Amino acid sequence: MINRRIFALSISALPLSPPSFAQGVYPQRPITLVVPFSAGSVVDAQARVIARVLSDRLGQPIVIDNRVGVSGSIGAEYVARAAPDGYTLLIGTQGTQGTNSALYKTIRYDPVKDFVAIHGLTGNANVLVANPARKFTNVAEVVEFGKKQPGKLNFGSGGNGTSGHLCLELLQTRTGARFTHIPYKASSAALVDLMAGNVDVMFDFVQTSAPHIRTGKINALAVTSASRIAVLPNVPTMAEAGFAGVEALSWGGLFAPANTPAAIVKRLSDEMNQVMISPVVKAALDSAASFTIGMPHEAFQAYVASEAGKWTEVIRKSGASLE
């Protein structure tokens, strides 16, 4: 017959059950990665490669959830309102975390306060290109023209609020030069008109302009990245051209809702350090002429806050709006 007193004491002395220990182990189930752009887009394609490598490292499936709308803000807001448990993450961009809150009055999230910036992922630079008939050989000549004859130079872009448009606004804000903005429905259409001479200058992604620069159809004046781009090694940066304040990237990064536990953020940031140097990811980025942003959590958090502040100021001064 069992002594009830001894049995009770033995039960109270037992260690905590395995499930109690398991509560501190992350992750224990599949993770949802929200991509706020359509399936098949550049952001989506790169996110899927990154997710596949990260999934292998975490030992859990990562499910891509494309939530599209308002230049990515629909997906970003969804993640901002999600439980801060590490199981709903976001591929945020310069738009969702840097410019949309200034361009759209209806944005209902704070791009800095409502998120934890876990790790920088990818970057793409713009290049300032001109029609050869304009005979511009450097950025200073474009700026000088825009100061002496304000509004006389036509600047094409892929549309209001796009990367090319915002680079133009940044150039005007930093230099005081004034140009006439010609927004198109797509940057490809603006590029065609640039080559035809219907617009004079534009900021365009390096990926799409590089082939035409090599053939001499357009002239490259400077890239907007902090360092030179491998596919255009002879093209100076804006800083090298004498305009250090005109630096701009279209970037992407991994985000979680605010108040996500620090241990989870650290785990994800540490894993992403390894993911972004994997041959599979590097090959995918190289094929798209993108590059890695090697920023772990703390550095990336500061970078995002700086970007949001910079673009809010530029957009406010320019009066640009999408509503």
Side-chain angles (χ1 to χ4, degrees):
M1 182 175 179
I2 298 176
N3 186 311
R4 292 184 178 180
R5 183 173 179 274
I6 295 175
F7 181 73
L9 287 173
S10 66
I11 290 294
S12 66
L14 286 174
L16 293 174
S17 61
S20 296
F21 282 118
Q23 288 176 3
V25 179
Y26 169 86
Q28 293 181 303
R29 54 187 171 86
I31 296 168
T32 296
L33 179 61
V34 174
V35 177
F37 301 98
S38 60
S41 64
V42 172
V43 175
D44 175 77
Q46 294 180 350
R48 289 175 187 273
V49 175
I50 291 168
R52 188 165 64 249
V53 179
L54 180 60
S55 174
D56 290 341
R57 294 192 63 85
L58 293 176
Q60 289 289 346
I62 295 180
V63 180
I64 302 294
D65 182 2
N66 296 97
R67 290 182 177 261
V68 183
V70 195
S71 299
S73 295
I74 296 296
E77 182 178 343
Y78 175 80
V79 175
R81 304 289 177 256
D85 56 10
Y87 290 100
T88 304
L89 306 175
L90 171 73
I91 295 293
T93 66
Q94 178 214 16
T96 63
Q97 315 303 127
T99 62
N100 286 1
S101 60
L103 288 169
Y104 294 93
K105 297 178 181 178
T106 55
I107 297 297
R108 296 178 294 181
Y109 64 85
D110 187 295
V112 177
K113 295 179 180 179
D114 289 340
F115 297 89
V116 177
I118 294 173
H119 202 286
L121 302 181
T122 63
N124 292 285
N126 278 276
V127 56
L128 180 62
V129 288
N131 182 281
R134 274 297 184 177
K135 307 295 184 182
F136 292 126
T137 60
N138 55 56
V139 182
E141 292 174 355
V142 175
V143 170
E144 185 72 11
F145 191 103
K147 288 181 176 180
K148 289 184 175 180
Q149 301 186 58
K152 294 294 181 67
L153 201 66
N154 290 332
F155 235 99
S157 84
N160 290 318
T162 60
S163 177
H165 174 213
L166 294 176
C167 284
L168 163 62
E169 298 296 352
L170 181 61
L171 180 65
Q172 292 188 133
T173 299
R174 295 290 191 263
T175 65
R178 289 293 176 263
F179 309 98
T180 295
H181 178 218
I182 309 296
Y184 287 75
K185 291 184 178 180
S187 59
S188 57
L191 188 59
V192 169
D193 262 12
L194 177 73
M195 290 185 285
N198 296 323
V199 293
D200 304 307
V201 191
M202 70 179 286
F203 283 102
D204 186 42
F205 283 126
V206 169
Q207 294 94 317
T208 50
S209 277
H212 305 297
I213 293 169
R214 296 190 191 101
T215 60
K217 293 180 180 178
I218 53 178
N219 290 338
L221 306 181
V223 293
T224 61
S225 50
S227 56
R228 295 196 181 196
I229 301 296
V231 296
L232 296 173
N234 297 321
V235 179
T237 66
M238 292 295 291
E240 290 173 331
F243 299 90
V246 189
E247 181 181 319
L249 293 179
S250 293
W251 49 263
L254 186 65
F255 293 82
N259 300 315
T260 297
I264 292 177
V265 173
K266 185 179 187 308
R267 172 77 194 280
L268 289 169
S269 183
D270 289 348
E271 295 294 353
M272 289 308 307
N273 277 331
Q274 300 305 310
V275 168
M276 298 310 293
I277 62 174
S278 72
V280 172
V281 170
K282 289 181 69 66
L285 297 184
D286 288 346
S287 68
S290 299
F291 50 87
T292 298
I293 298 180
M295 290 187 192
H297 165 54
E298 291 185 357
F300 190 47
Q301 188 84 39
Y303 178 74
V304 171
S306 173
E307 282 283 279
K310 177 180 78 174
W311 289 114
T312 297
E313 176 195 6
V314 169
I315 292 167
R316 179 181 57 81
K317 288 183 177 179
S318 70
S321 176
L322 295 179
E323 291 178 330

